Amino acid sequence: MTTTSRTLPLTATLLISTVALYIALVAFGNITDFGTNQQFVRHVLAMDTTFKDHDLMWRAITSGAWQDAAYVAIIAWETLAALVLITATWLWARRHPRARQLSTLGLLMLLLLFGAGFVAIGGEWFAMWQSKTWNGLDAATRVIVLAGVTLLVTHLPGAAPENG
C-alpha cells in the first residue's frame, strides 16, 4: 500500500468531517440563536437595503410569515445536510464503501443551498450583492469552495474506501 493510497482516504475523511462540523455548527447556531440570521433572511428577502430599483423591487418578499418560512426551510436543509455529512464521516472512518456516495449527497446539498440558494437566488434575484449590510455572498462563496474542494478530493481515484 502506497503512502497516497493511505493518505487520500484519510484526507477525504478529515475534509468531510470538517464540512460536517461546520454545517452542524451553522445549523445549531441558527436554531439556538434564531433571531440573528432570521433578520438576515428578512432583510435579503425584503430587499430593503438594496438600491431600491423599481424594476427589481417587485421581487421583494415582505411578508414576515413567508420570510420566516424560508428561514425555517434553510435551517431544516442545513440540519439534514449536517446529519448526512456526520453519517458520511462515520462511514469514512469505518472505510465503508458507501462513504463516497453519502458524502456526495451531503456536499451537493450544501452546494445547492449556498450556490443556488444564497449566490443565485439571494445574490441575484433578491439583489443581495447591492447591500452593504446584509450581504452573505462572501460567506456563501467560502462554503462553496470548501464543499467543492472536498467533493473533488472524495472523487479522486483511490480516495474512496474499499473502491466505493
Side-chain angles (χ1 to χ4, degrees):
M1 184 176 263
T2 67
T3 302
T4 302
S5 64
R6 286 190 307 253
T7 59
L8 201 48
L10 176 61
T11 302
T13 303
L14 294 174
L15 284 171
I16 290 295
S17 67
T18 299
V19 178
L21 175 63
Y22 169 77
I23 197 61
L25 290 173
V26 168
F28 180 77
N30 284 338
I31 292 166
T32 60
D33 182 20
F34 190 85
T36 298
N37 281 330
Q38 176 189 34
Q39 292 309 308
F40 171 83
V41 171
R42 283 183 169 189
H43 285 288
V44 169
L45 295 180
M47 300 173 68
D48 58 359
T49 59
T50 64
F51 300 163
K52 304 240 191 311
D53 183 333
H54 294 293
D55 292 332
L56 298 178
M57 291 307 292
W58 63 271
R59 300 176 184 177
I61 296 174
T62 56
S63 163
W66 282 109
Q67 293 168 343
D68 290 347
Y71 183 44
V72 169
I74 290 167
I75 294 171
W77 190 263
E78 291 168 344
T79 303
L80 182 58
L83 293 171
V84 168
L85 290 169
I86 289 166
T87 304
T89 298
W90 183 77
L91 292 176
W92 279 97
R94 294 183 42 96
R95 302 191 53 78
H96 191 281
R98 293 203 45 190
R100 179 188 280 173
Q101 182 181 16
L102 204 56
S103 297
T104 299
L105 174 62
L107 293 167
L108 287 175
M109 290 176 73
L110 293 183
L111 290 170
L112 284 170
L113 176 62
F114 288 92
F118 286 90
V119 173
I121 296 171
E124 291 303 317
W125 184 256
F126 291 106
M128 181 171 57
W129 66 270
Q130 294 179 2
S131 177
K132 292 182 196 280
T133 311
W134 302 101
N135 186 335
L137 291 175
D138 287 343
T141 301
R142 286 191 299 270
V143 177
I144 291 166
V145 169
L146 178 61
V149 167
T150 302
L151 184 62
L152 291 174
V153 168
T154 62
H155 281 271
L156 289 173
E162 310 292 327
N163 298 320

